Every structure is written in structure tokens, then in C-alpha cells.
């Protein structure tokens, strides 16, 4: 059931998004043009403290005109490792620097239309180094008790897929020897 890509051409391109037309052959031999959105990878940082609280940002997303809680995250720059990007984003957006980062998971939010991957990392030893340097990211920061996360999801207070994947990975990661 593997599809074959015979070629690819650009339809639209910016530093943030690339829309491509792929010449594909489906498993049944049908050949067609398929549109794909090529996006940069995203790195997500889940900082957890000794009290089993996760650091989250309350922010507005103008594209969907929604307010919700999110984990710190951002684009992985060219030549940057996802873990380094997660640490950079955590510090820029919250003023907290991770001591160590451990990968929790990698997700592909819409593998049928985009190639973007979301890398989620956990830190249990972040230290406050100052105020956030990225001033346009959030209205406030809070340490949210992990047991409250499920109810927040149910109430629609967490809607970003990268954050949903991250907090669900945290909840699954709370076994013995894993910070729980």
C-alpha cells in the first residue's frame, strides 16, 4: 500500500510554510497531483517541578481567535537539534532554563497533508534565570498541577495539538523512576 512520489514542485514558499504539488502514484496505479504543506519541525518543552506541576502559558492564538493554555514551543531552526530548540524556547518564553531535557515523544500532527514533526521534551530541573525575553508569547505563566490537566482538556482550556500531545505524554510518563 505504498505510494510512489515521482516528482515535486513548489506552488508557494515563505520562511514559514511551503506548499508543494507532488506527482504521486497510488497503490492501485492511479497517478495524480497531491498537495502537501511542508512546515518546520516544532520543539515543545514540558517543565515539571518537584510538586508535579507543569509550567504552562496562557495565550491568544489570533489565527483561530482562541485563548488557551500551552506548553512553551517553537520552530526548530535550520541546523538546530530539537532538544536545543525546546530548551531555547522554554527560556525565551518563560525565563526558565532546563538543566536537562529528556525526549518524551515525537508526533506527526497531520501526516496526510504536512511533514511537520512535533518533538516533546521533559525537564525536571529547570531554574529561573529571569524574565521571558519573548514578550509577545503569553499573558501569564502558571505552574499547573498535573492532576488538573485532564479536566482542563475536557473544558477546552488546552486545545493546541502540540500541547495536548505533550501533556498526555507527561501523564503517561508519571511512573516509578520517571518523576511521579
Amino acid at each position: 500500500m505504498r505510494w510512489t512520489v515521482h516528482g515535486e514542485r513548489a506552488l508557494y514558499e515563505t520562511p514559514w510554510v511551503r506548499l508543494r504539488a507532488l506527482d504521486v502514484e497510488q497503490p492501485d496505479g492511479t497517478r495524480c497531483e497531491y498537495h502537501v504543506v511542508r512546515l518546520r519541525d516544532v520543539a515543545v518543552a514540558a517543565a515539571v517541578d518537584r510538586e508535579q506541576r507543569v509550567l504552562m502559558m496562557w495565550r491568544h492564538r489570533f489565527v483561530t481567535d482562541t485563548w488557551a493554555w500551552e506548553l512553551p514551543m517553537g520552530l526548530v531552526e535550520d541546523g538546530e537539534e530539537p532538544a536545543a530548540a525546546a530548551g531555547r524556547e522554554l527560556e525565551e518564553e518563560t525565563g526558565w532554563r532546563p538543566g536537562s531535557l529528556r525526549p518524551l515523544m515525537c508526533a506527526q500532527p497531520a501526516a496526510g497533508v504536512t511533514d511537520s514533526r512535533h518533538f516533546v521534551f521533559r525537564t525536571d530541573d529547570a531554574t529561573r534565570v529571569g524574565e521571558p525575553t519573548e514578550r509577545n508569547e503569553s499573558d501569564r505563566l502558571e505552574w499547573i498541577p498535573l492532576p488538573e490537566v485532564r479536566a482542563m482538556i475536557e473544558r477546552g482550556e488546552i486545545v493546541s495539538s502540540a500541547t495536548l500531545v505533550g501533556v498526555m505524554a507527561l501523564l503517561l510518563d508519571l511512573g516509578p523512576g520517571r518523576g511521579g
Side-chain angles (χ1 to χ4, degrees), residues 18-20 34-39 109-116:
R18 295 176 292 146
L19 179 59
R20 314 293 266 191
Y34 192 88
H35 293 171
V36 174
V37 179
R38 301 234 184 255
L39 299 171
V113 295
T114 182
D115 60 350
S116 178

Side-chain angles (χ1 to χ4, degrees), residues 20-46:
R20 314 293 266 191
L22 278 61
D23 173 13
V24 298
E25 183 178 335
Q26 297 175 13
D28 69 1
T30 304
R31 204 153 160 177
C32 62
E33 183 173 274
Y34 192 88
H35 293 171
V36 174
V37 179
R38 301 234 184 255
L39 299 171
R40 289 181 179 270
D41 290 336
V42 173
V44 183

Side-chain angles (χ1 to χ4, degrees), residues 48-76:
V48 179
D49 69 6
R50 289 185 180 122
E51 297 171 39
Q52 293 303 291
R53 300 177 304 170
V54 60
L55 183 60
M56 298 189 78
M57 307 175 344
W58 179 250
R59 67 170 303 169
H60 179 255
R61 290 290 186 177
F62 72 92
V63 175
T64 56
D65 194 23
T66 55
W67 287 89
W69 289 101
E70 292 187 9
L71 294 172
M73 69 182 83
L75 300 176
V76 177

Side-chain angles (χ1 to χ4, degrees), residues 101-113:
L101 285 164
R102 179 169 55 85
L104 283 180
M105 69 179 346
C106 177
Q108 296 176 346
V113 295

Side-chain angles (χ1 to χ4, degrees), residues 82-99:
R88 175 180 51 75
E89 292 291 339
L90 178 65
E91 187 170 335
E92 289 174 359
E93 294 179 358
T94 70
W96 286 81
R97 180 180 296 154

Side-chain angles (χ1 to χ4, degrees), residues 104-179:
L104 283 180
M105 69 179 346
C106 177
Q108 296 176 346
V113 295
T114 182
D115 60 350
S116 178
R117 298 172 295 176
H118 293 179
F119 295 92
V120 182
F121 296 87
R122 176 180 178 151
T123 180
D124 294 293
D125 55 2
T127 55
R128 179 104 169 119
V129 294
E131 292 299 313
T133 57
E134 186 58 60
R135 302 273 184 221
N136 297 310
E137 292 292 332
S138 67
D139 270 19
R140 70 182 192 267
L141 303 171
E142 281 189 33
W143 288 93
I144 307 289
L146 282 171
E148 293 180 20
V149 167
R150 181 179 175 156
M152 293 171 70
I153 294 169
E154 290 170 353
R155 291 190 303 265
E157 296 172 8
I158 299 173
V159 295
S160 153
S161 66
T163 296
L164 287 166
V165 166
V167 295
M168 287 191 256
L170 277 178
L171 295 175
L172 292 172
D173 193 52
L174 289 177
R178 298 283 193 164

